[in-house]
Amino acid sequence: MECRDGGCGLWAAASTATQRAGAGRARQVTWVVGEIHRARALGGDDAPECVAWLGGERARTYLTMAAAGTLRSRGGHARPSTEASMRVRSSVLRELGAIVGLDGPVPGVGTAPERGWTEGASRRAFLTWLRHDTSEAGTRTWAAAALASAGLWVGEIASLSDRSVSADGVVAELWRNPPGPGAPYLLPLALPGHALEAVRAWLAVREQVVVSDRVRAMFVTLRPGTRNGSVYARGLPLSARSLNRTHAAAAQTWVRTGASAAQGLRASDLSLGRLAFSPEATEEGGRDLRSS
């Protein structure tokens, strides 16, 4: 039942897809293909071609098992998959199906409606609250949130260098990896006033934190860390996961303040990802918050 990359039509389709994809999409494709092979093994399928799992009832079986958490390679198998991960799986099935020439839609198992947006006044109130925290951590959190509200994605924020934003707010060499099929493309972006102000404030803090000229990342750690018995100084590059975690903690704190604009919200409603995909970032070009 095992397939090897060289002789499997599914892996061949994945190779074609990843050649024209960014790194993030390539990981998604590889992840889904691995899951399909686990589903095939668990289901005892005797189909001669793995590509048969890209459509029809076999695709429905795969998505049902994935939605239930049955195909997890780590962690608890009883934990269901998130709505976002099911959307990724469905999009990968559509892309690979198109590559191998399968007809028909992908079964709609475990998929979710498009992401809902938090009301604009609540987002602006949260951003204004963030802006008033002038501590080192607060300045960093506000800068990342301001960049997200201007339309940058979390991975893009984490990959910025201290020289990525020019004096007039233009973000240099911003390559965007589309969430679906397609090659990365250069995205022209000029930051609105509030985002540029936030970046300048953070860079002033960063200058006092980073001690090595070799560290070029815009966002860096603020506390010494330890791993495997080794101690690391602060001022090292910060990962996208850490950016998400510190932002989520700030969002949770704001929700717990009981502000009227926070009523009925969860911290996840104000995540960096939701700020980055906010319709306001597109329709209004990122509303300037300096007057708030």
Side-chain angles (χ1 to χ4, degrees):
M1 198 74 68
E2 286 290 324
C3 277
R4 300 299 177 189
D5 296 23
C8 173
L10 191 54
W11 279 115
S15 177
T16 300
T18 55
Q19 285 175 4
R20 61 194 187 204
R25 182 61 171 184
R27 287 192 295 270
Q28 291 174 348
V29 171
T30 302
W31 165 58
V32 169
V33 171
E35 280 196 334
I36 290 175
H37 282 93
R38 283 198 293 277
R40 184 171 183 250
L42 289 173
D45 182 62
D46 57 358
E49 294 291 338
C50 294
V51 294
W53 281 76
L54 295 176
E57 287 304 311
R58 288 186 175 88
R60 185 182 301 276
T61 298
Y62 158 62
L63 290 172
T64 300
M65 295 172 75
T70 307
L71 304 177
R72 292 187 185 280
S73 58
R74 57 187 178 181
H77 288 187
R79 183 161 53 92
S81 290
T82 65
E83 297 174 350
S85 67
M86 293 307 299
R87 284 193 291 267
V88 169
R89 290 182 175 100
S90 294
S91 72
V92 171
L93 288 182
R94 284 192 296 271
E95 181 177 4
L96 296 181
I99 290 173
V100 302
L102 287 183
D103 296 324
V106 172
V109 176
T111 56
E114 289 303 309
R115 188 198 306 259
W117 301 114
T118 305
E119 198 272 321
S122 296
R123 285 196 303 273
R124 288 192 292 273
F126 171 58
L127 290 171
T128 300
W129 178 82
L130 281 179
R131 179 173 173 264
H132 292 308
D133 184 352
T134 57
S135 65
E136 286 184 343
T139 303
R140 186 184 67 185
T141 301
W142 161 234
L147 287 168
S149 72
L152 274 77
W153 298 355
V154 182
E156 295 166 349
I157 295 172
S159 67
L160 293 174
S161 78
D162 58 337
R163 301 173 182 173
S164 291
V165 179
S166 67
D168 57 357
V170 175
V171 182
E173 294 295 311
L174 178 59
W175 287 92
R176 172 150 294 178
N177 291 315
Y185 58 93
L186 188 62
L187 179 69
L189 181 66
L191 297 180
H194 75 278
L196 180 56
E197 176 188 293
V199 168
R200 287 171 176 167
W202 162 245
L203 288 177
V205 172
R206 179 192 179 281
E207 186 177 354
Q208 305 302 316
V209 173
V210 176
V211 297
S212 172
D213 292 338
R214 292 180 297 175
V215 176
R216 298 260 61 101
M218 176 179 291
F219 289 95
V220 297
T221 58
L222 293 172
R223 297 183 301 179
T226 59
R227 174 179 286 184
N228 299 327
S230 298
V231 179
Y232 297 88
R234 69 181 195 153
L236 297 178
L238 196 67
S239 67
R241 177 177 295 182
S242 294
L243 279 174
N244 272 323
R245 185 168 56 244
T246 55
H247 179 88
Q252 186 64 52
T253 299
W254 183 69
V255 168
R256 288 174 176 171
T257 63
S260 59
Q263 295 301 313
L265 295 182
R266 301 168 299 175
S268 59
D269 295 325
L270 299 160
S271 68
L272 277 175
R274 293 210 173 193
L275 293 177
F277 286 91
S278 163
E280 291 180 349
T282 301
E283 297 170 7
E284 298 181 15
R287 180 167 174 170
D288 198 320
L289 300 176
R290 287 178 296 177
S291 59
S292 297

